[in-house]
Amino acid sequence: MGTVLSIVVVLGLVGAFFGLILALANKKLAVELNPLIHLVEDVLPKGQCGACGFAGCMAYAEAVVLNKEVSPDLCIPGKKAVAQKVADLTGKKSLEVEPRIAYLKCSNPIATASKKYFYSGIQDCVAENLLHFGQKECRYGCIGLGTCVKQCVFEAIQLNELGLPVIDSAKCTGCGKCADACPKKIIQMIPPDAHVSVACNSLDKGAVARKACSIACIGCGLCKKQCPYEAIELKNNLAWVNSQICIEKCTQAVCLDKCPTKAIKSCLNKVAKGLAI
Amino acid sequence: MNDYLLLFIGAVIVNNFVLTRFLGLCIFFGVSKNLKASVGMGMAVTSVIFISSIFAYGVYNFILVPLHVTFLTTIVFVLLIASFVQLLEMVIRRYLPALYKMWGIYLLLIATNCVVLAVPLINIESNFSFAKSLVNALGSGVGFAVAIILMASLREKLRLAEVPKPLEGLGIAFIVAGFLSLSFFGFSGMIK
């Protein structure tokens, strides 16, 4: 009986003592956190992608509430709706968030492209790029080891069976993490309603580019000449589409038929239907 | 002095808690995926072990022994460590926000960890003096940090290796930990 009593007393007292200390500490040491931070965090998509430039959604919520200079429209995946909600919560003004999605400027998968050598090292694009810019003949093309796939927190990119990343435009939020991770800087962020885009990144002269890849942009300038709205310009042997002009004015997309290598591709229907591009 | 040095080295290497006594494996595998997190975890565990050993020594010698209830040691220590970690978390959050950002989240993870409980219990079992139990606690904490940092460095390298599909992830981590443990067993018997 004595033992039982001592157990109850000792454990009870020790427990009560610690409980009291914790209760007091909870009162005395309470950290006041602005409740607005939690409200803002609830609004954010919580992909923790870091596209806003902060360490995660919580860090951005804290910054946008506490720091006057942090803009409420930094969340790119959240698009306009989230920017508006954050702006309402924090009492800041939201600017337009340009929606955008990732687009791969290469359409020749590693399986079919001509190669300089056979690579069997670390299975990562950055590593392969260090060795003579990768095994592809074309030094600008997609390496196809999926560094972008690993980066995507929204699971919007997948390698197809030929080793070319396919971006699911329905899932892509436009955070741009893949574009930063790609050692070839081959992923371009384009507006989701873009009509056409050049699926090539080669800055080589026409003959060299053509020799390395049959569907390369050879910089011939035919598309530029054909476009009635001057939406295409030629820089460093590569055609660039100005999507803004293209979306506003173009209706027939003559450039698609004129391209001799079919490097310029339509991305209109696919995006509208939420398909991969 | 020699005694203390031997005790310290013994706790770090020879009787390494993770690699030769297999305690604290859950955080050892859970937090060893990247080096930065494992350094934070190592520091958190070391400080918690060290400070809770001080409290445990006091509670044991000034409460449990005089009242003849030493059979309650384990349960009282569980209580002690759990509430102490809670308290530490609050104190750090209030007064050292920078440190809290670094290892605040790890603190609550180790509130009920077996390494933290084992060290004070072993101190008492081996009848260590106050100074000796402090040295042992510090050594054990450093030993844990060494083990988890080694493991994290290995796992960071492992990420670039081609691992057979069935062993990917935790499987290969267990195998690597096994080898690491084998090599640490090489030290056994060096210090008795």
Side-chain angles (χ1 to χ4, degrees), chain A residues 3 6-7 10-11 14-15 18 21-22 25-26 28-31 62 121-123, chain B residues 64 67 69 71-72 75-76 79-80 83 86-87 90-91 93-95 101 160 162:
Chain A
T3 324
S6 62
I7 292 173
V10 170
L11 276 186
V14 170
F18 289 140
I21 288 184
L22 281 183
N26 203 11
K28 288 261 176 202
L29 301 175
V31 180
E62 221 177 294
I122 295 168
Q123 295 296 299
Chain B
L64 299 182
L67 293 174
V69 283
F71 54 87
L72 287 180
I75 192 160
V76 169
L79 218 72
L80 173 82
S83 21
Q86 288 278 350
L87 187 67
M90 288 182 205
V91 171
R93 193 151 125 194
R94 183 79 163 81
Y95 296 110
K101 267 198 183 142
L160 294 175
E162 267 184 78

Side-chain angles (χ1 to χ4, degrees), chain B residues 127-145:
Chain B
N127 283 324
F128 281 153
S129 67
F130 183 60
K132 268 196 173 176
S133 44
L134 286 194
V135 171
N136 187 40
L138 193 64
S140 309
V142 172
F144 179 84

Side-chain angles (χ1 to χ4, degrees), chain A:
Chain A
M1 193 56 208
T3 324
V4 176
L5 196 69
S6 62
I7 292 173
V8 171
V9 169
V10 170
L11 276 186
L13 283 182
V14 170
F17 177 67
F18 289 140
L20 204 66
I21 288 184
L22 281 183
L24 279 178
N26 203 11
K27 272 265 164 66
K28 288 261 176 202
L29 301 175
V31 180
E32 276 179 39
L33 204 62
N34 196 333
L36 208 56
I37 294 174
H38 288 296
L39 289 178
V40 172
E41 199 207 355
D42 283 342
V43 170
L44 298 174
K46 297 199 195 58
Q48 316 294 356
C49 67
C52 51
F54 292 91
C57 295
M58 184 67 198
Y60 175 54
E62 221 177 294
V64 80
V65 170
L66 301 178
N67 191 341
K68 269 183 190 162
E69 281 158 24
V70 177
S71 161
D73 51 16
L74 294 182
C75 182
I76 294 167
K79 304 212 174 76
K80 216 173 161 184
V82 168
Q84 193 55 52
K85 279 183 201 156
V86 174
D88 289 346
L89 281 170
T90 55
K92 290 176 178 175
K93 248 195 193 149
S94 149
L95 303 166
E96 286 279 292
V97 182
E98 284 287 333
R100 50 182 202 162
I101 53 171
Y103 180 77
L104 186 77
K105 287 175 73 64
C106 180
S107 52
N108 201 355
I110 191 70
T112 55
S114 56
K115 298 180 188 72
K116 288 183 283 208
Y117 64 92
F118 179 68
Y119 178 82
S120 65
I122 295 168
Q123 295 296 299
D124 186 87
C125 301
V126 180
E128 185 178 324
N129 191 36
L130 291 174
L131 199 64
H132 300 278
F133 302 105
Q135 52 178 336
K136 254 189 186 177
E137 195 75 55
C138 169
R139 58 174 279 187
Y140 300 97
C142 174
I143 289 173
L145 288 179
T147 295
C148 49
V149 177
K150 285 177 220 154
Q151 284 295 324
C152 186
V153 287
F154 301 101
E155 293 175 358
I157 313 182
Q158 245 151 19
L159 285 183
N160 67 9
E161 66 275 13
L162 296 172
L164 201 67
V166 180
I167 296 152
D168 189 333
S169 58
K171 285 186 189 162
C172 180
T173 60
C175 71
K177 268 195 122 179
C178 49
D180 292 338
C182 177
K184 299 285 193 196
K185 295 286 168 258
I186 206 179
I187 296 178
Q188 190 193 358
M189 304 310 294
I190 61 169
D193 48 356
H195 291 188
V196 294
S197 197
V198 182
C200 180
N201 198 38
S202 173
L203 304 182
D204 278 333
K205 286 220 168 75
V208 182
R210 186 77 185 254
K211 203 179 155 207
C213 170
S214 62
I215 44 176
C217 171
I218 52 176
C220 63
L222 265 178
C223 48
K224 186 184 171 185
K225 276 179 214 140
Q226 293 296 326
C227 181
Y229 312 105
E230 293 177 354
I232 301 178
E233 56 178 330
L234 214 60
K235 269 191 289 190
N236 301 328
N237 302 313
L238 187 62
W240 291 84
V241 180
N242 184 334
S243 295
Q244 229 56 45
I245 302 176
C246 191
I247 294 166
E248 278 169 24
K249 299 186 176 160
C250 183
T251 47
Q252 69 269 45
V254 277
C255 48
L256 289 177
D257 297 329
K258 291 294 171 189
C259 181
T261 53
K262 303 288 171 233
I264 192 161
K265 288 186 168 52
S266 163
C267 37
L268 189 59
N269 296 328
K270 288 180 177 174
V271 173
K273 286 176 193 156
L275 295 172
I277 50 174

Side-chain angles (χ1 to χ4, degrees), chain B residues 32-46:
Chain B
S32 62
K33 270 184 203 136
N34 75 67
L35 200 55
K36 216 173 150 195
S38 73
V39 171
M41 193 73 198
M43 287 189 336
V45 168
T46 307

